[in-house]
Amino acid sequence: MKIDIDDFRVREDSKVKLDKWPTEVDPYYRSKVHYEQLLAAHVDQLRKLQPVLYAHDRYSLLIIFQALDAAGKDSAIKHVMSGVNPQGCLVFSFKHPGPDVLAHDFLWQARRLMPERGRIGIFNRSYYEEVLIVRVHSELLDAQRLPSETLKKDDLWNSRYRSICALERHLNENGTRVIKFFLHLSKEEQRKRFIARLDEADKNWKFSEADVEERKFWGDYMSAYEKCLSATSTTHAPWYAVPADDKQNARLIISKVIIETMKSMPISYPKLDPKRRKELRSIRQQLESEGK
C-alpha cells in the first residue's frame, strides 16, 4: 500500500480536533521483514539526497519532532536518519531551559541552532514547547521574567504563534525548509509503553515518575496541541500528525515525508563551467603522468 503523505498533513487554517485524527492506521508493511525492506529503501533514498543538498549549498532542512512522552521520537530519529552522514546532520534536544536561555526571548535558542545551508537540522522537541508545556503549566512563565504587560496580554499564546509563523516564513524565504511532525499517540498505548519501561531492565533508565504525573494533564495537552497545530501549520512549514501507536508504521510515514520534501527542493549537483572542466582535465593528466 502506497503512503500518501497528504493524508497526514495538517491543512493551513484548519481547526484540528485530535480525537478525529487516528493514532493508528492500517500498516504499510506485510511483515517485519517487509517493513525492514521498506525502511531500508527509504533510508537509501535519504542517503542519496543528502549529498545533493550539501553540494548545492543553497538550501537547508529543519525537521521538528513534537510528542508526548513515549511516542517514539528518539527511535524515529535513530532509524529514519540512520543512513545520513553525521557531518551533514545535527540533532538537538530541547530540555528544561537553563539561565542563559531564560534570559532571552523564547525563540533565541532555536535561532542559534538553525542548520547551515546544505545541512539537515533535527529538533527533538523545539521552540514549540513554549506554546505546549508552558501553556499547560503556565507557572513556567514566571521563570522567564517577562514584562508585566506581556503576561497580561489576553492573546499571549496567539502572539507566540505569530512569532513562530514569522520565524518559519523568514527561514523559508532564506532557503531553510521546515517540516514538523507531531507523533500522535493514544493514552492507552502510552500506558503500555510506560509499563514496558518498568518491566524491561534496559529501559528502566527511560522511566520517570514525572512522565506518569503528566498523564493527569492529558486533556490539557491535547487541547494545547490542537490549538498549536491549527495556528502554525502553513504551506511552507506544515505539520504532519503521524499515527504513532505503531512505531514501524510511523517511521515509514516520517521517512516518506522527508524524502518527498527533499525531492521537491530545487537542488542538484553544481554544474562546472568550461574553464573549471579544463582545469580538472589538466590535473587528471598530471596525476596520470605521475604513474608512468
Side-chain angles (χ1 to χ4, degrees):
M1 185 166 57
K2 184 180 178 181
I3 299 173
D4 185 346
I5 64 173
D6 283 340
D7 290 344
F8 310 103
R9 181 171 181 153
V10 177
R11 303 298 176 188
E12 186 169 4
D13 296 325
S14 63
K15 297 299 181 183
V16 175
K17 294 295 182 183
L18 287 175
D19 59 355
K20 305 297 183 183
W21 286 74
T23 60
E24 187 171 10
V25 293
D26 291 337
Y28 293 101
Y29 58 93
R30 297 185 299 272
S31 64
K32 182 178 180 180
V33 171
H34 187 221
Y35 154 74
E36 291 172 348
Q37 292 172 341
L38 291 173
L39 184 63
H42 285 187
V43 169
D44 188 56
Q45 288 185 70
L46 289 173
R47 180 184 62 79
K48 292 175 181 176
L49 286 165
Q50 183 202 9
V52 183
L53 175 71
Y54 185 83
H56 191 86
D57 198 29
R58 293 292 184 275
Y59 296 89
S60 58
L61 178 64
L62 174 62
I63 306 171
I64 293 175
F65 287 88
Q66 289 288 159
L68 296 179
D69 295 305
K73 298 187 305 301
D74 293 348
S75 64
I77 294 169
K78 175 183 176 181
H79 287 82
V80 171
M81 309 306 292
S82 60
V84 173
N85 186 334
Q87 289 184 320
C89 180
L90 294 175
V91 181
F92 299 99
S93 294
F94 282 65
K95 301 184 183 297
H96 186 75
D100 57 334
V101 175
L102 292 171
H104 295 81
D105 69 272
F106 79 96
L107 291 173
W108 173 78
Q109 182 183 25
R111 291 198 303 270
R112 295 171 61 237
L113 301 176
M114 292 298 170
E116 302 172 23
R117 289 188 177 88
R119 289 173 168 79
I120 299 172
I122 299 174
F123 287 178
N124 186 344
R125 301 189 189 275
S126 67
Y127 46 87
Y128 277 98
E129 293 293 280
E130 294 292 333
V131 292
L132 294 168
I133 187 172
V134 177
R135 183 162 192 165
V136 173
H137 297 286
S138 57
E139 65 274 11
L140 294 174
L141 285 169
D142 295 340
Q144 298 183 6
R145 304 196 304 280
L146 295 170
S148 57
E149 60 269 25
T150 300
L151 288 171
K152 291 177 181 178
K153 270 186 171 181
D154 291 335
D155 67 342
L156 170 63
W157 306 114
N158 288 328
S159 175
R160 289 196 166 189
Y161 295 147
R162 290 193 293 271
S163 295
I164 288 171
C165 289
L167 171 65
E168 292 174 349
R169 187 182 310 110
H170 169 78
L171 291 172
N172 182 71
E173 291 173 352
N174 286 274
T176 299
R177 300 294 182 256
V178 183
I179 47 178
K180 303 169 293 194
F181 295 107
F182 166 56
L183 275 58
H184 189 21
L185 184 72
S186 69
K187 192 174 184 181
E188 173 60 16
E189 180 61 23
Q190 187 194 59
R191 184 185 70 83
K192 292 178 181 178
R193 293 182 188 180
F194 281 167
I195 291 174
R197 288 182 180 182
L198 290 168
D199 290 346
E200 298 177 38
D202 60 351
K203 291 185 178 180
N204 285 172
W205 66 273
K206 287 187 173 184
F207 184 77
S208 169
E209 289 83 348
D211 295 342
V212 176
E213 190 66 21
E214 287 298 281
R215 279 174 63 83
K216 298 177 182 178
F217 300 94
W218 187 275
D220 295 327
Y221 275 110
M222 290 298 102
S223 177
Y225 269 106
E226 288 175 346
K227 292 180 174 65
C228 172
L229 270 59
S230 298
T232 61
S233 191
T234 61
T235 54
H236 56 266
W239 275 105
Y240 291 88
V242 178
D245 283 3
D246 181 338
K247 286 186 178 183
Q248 295 175 331
N249 231 22
R251 294 166 193 162
L252 293 175
I253 295 167
I254 290 166
S255 54
K256 183 66 172 178
V257 171
I258 298 172
I259 290 167
E260 293 302 316
T261 300
M262 294 187 73
K263 283 184 174 180
S264 72
M265 298 166 71
I267 57 175
S268 60
Y269 284 113
K271 293 182 179 180
L272 302 180
D273 59 38
K275 180 181 178 182
R276 182 57 176 162
R277 288 184 183 279
K278 184 177 179 180
E279 291 173 348
L280 293 178
R281 281 197 299 269
S282 175
I283 293 170
R284 190 179 193 282
Q285 290 171 357
Q286 292 177 33
L287 293 171
E288 284 183 334
S289 64
E290 291 179 10
K292 296 179 180 178

